[in-house]
Amino acid sequence: EEQLVESGGDLVQPGGSLRLSCAASGFLFGPFWMHWVRQAPGKGLVWVAHINSDGTTIRYADSVKGRFTISRDNAKNTLYLQMNSLRAEDTAVYYCARDRGFPDAFNIWGQGTMVTVSS
Amino acid sequence: EIVLTQSPGTLALSPGERATVPCRASQSVSSSYLAWYQQKPAQTPTLLIYGASNRASGIPDRFSGSGSGTDFTLTISRLEPEDFAVYYCQHYDPSSRTWTFGQGTKVEV
């Protein structure tokens, strides 16, 4: 079964840092483009960041540019999101997602990990 | 930056009825890069439609997508109880390699 499992969510103070991980299993991780998508409580889906298969192309939403860093370790089948200078508005469930083999849509999603930024 | 607008935010329908969920783009987009997702309460999003009209694997044929240019539609031909959920459209912009979601439409009883 193709699966993504996120971890690392926690309660953190404003200005703090957190690193999320997403472990992939059941498929060959290396060739796929990967993403982070977040969802604030009671709100909609927001795309956060993208990394291509070998990590040479990275994109961010404007709201996190300069604060978040996406990376991957294909040998460990793991995607990461380093989040610095966290703000209250970063509070959300963070999902990792895999494209379907083409960049147009995400067909595998993790269950999400909750990040709460509060003092 | 392309903005996707989903209005209305809520559709009140009954089981057995037809649901029409609209998605409007702020400028013309390629239908190849328009997708639809379903999210049930406390669950992960599920891909329904890609390329504006192609059903994803395992999706029942009561779900269909259509549209081009700036106006796209997700149609559920006859609502089943399990179809009451939030539906999101999504666009991929290959020139900037960024992705955008609409704000979602809740289909409720």
Side-chain angles (χ1 to χ4, degrees):
Chain A
E1 180 192 2
E2 297 174 318
Q3 195 172 8
L4 298 170
V5 178
E6 302 93 336
S7 60
D10 205 347
L11 170 63
V12 61
Q13 292 189 342
S17 297
L18 209 56
R19 189 173 88 152
L20 306 182
S21 299
C22 169
S25 61
F27 65 94
L28 191 60
F29 179 70
F32 287 95
W33 291 10
M34 298 296 298
H35 306 264
W36 288 99
V37 176
R38 70 184 181 184
Q39 186 169 35
K43 302 297 184 182
L45 302 172
V46 176
W47 172 79
V48 171
H50 151 71
I51 186 168
N52 72 339
S53 55
D54 61 5
T56 56
T57 299
I58 287 172
R59 295 289 186 269
Y60 299 99
D62 287 344
S63 58
V64 306
K65 206 172 292 184
R67 300 187 300 123
F68 289 13
T69 302
I70 188 173
S71 62
R72 66 190 294 164
D73 185 336
N74 288 343
K76 295 183 178 179
N77 295 331
T78 303
L79 176 73
Y80 302 100
L81 186 67
Q82 176 67 42
M83 303 186 294
N84 298 331
S85 303
L86 282 162
R87 307 166 180 167
E89 55 265 36
D90 296 318
T91 294
V93 174
Y94 284 74
Y95 297 100
C96 64
R98 191 203 80 180
D99 78 11
R100 65 179 192 90
F102 296 90
D104 57 343
F106 310 157
N107 69 337
I108 304 294
W109 294 66
Q111 85 290 349
T113 188
M114 184 69 204
V115 173
T116 303
V117 184
S118 174
S119 54
Chain B
E1 178 190 340
I2 293 170
V3 176
L4 299 179
T5 300
Q6 293 186 248
S7 180
T10 303
L11 277 174
L13 296 167
S14 299
E17 287 192 297
R18 181 184 187 89
T20 302
V21 183
C23 173
R24 173 162 287 179
S26 57
Q27 58 188 275
S28 184
V29 300
S30 168
S31 59
S32 297
Y33 299 130
L34 197 288
W36 289 94
Y37 298 83
Q38 176 194 65
Q39 188 178 32
K40 298 178 183 179
Q43 292 190 23
T44 291
T46 298
L47 175 64
L48 295 175
I49 301 287
Y50 63 90
S53 60
N54 302 288
R55 271 188 304 278
S57 177
I59 302 304
D61 60 8
R62 63 180 181 273
F63 291 92
S64 63
S66 63
S68 63
T70 60
D71 292 297
F72 298 87
T73 302
L74 173 71
T75 301
I76 311 170
S77 58
R78 286 179 56 85
L79 282 164
E80 297 287 341
E82 62 268 27
D83 298 336
F84 290 92
V86 181
Y87 293 88
Y88 295 93
C89 57
Q90 178 204 42
H91 173 253
Y92 166 58
D93 182 349
S95 62
S96 62
R97 204 178 279 186
T98 57
W99 288 258
T100 304
F101 287 94
Q103 74 271 39
T105 292
K106 183 178 183 181
V107 176
E108 66 177 21
V109 178

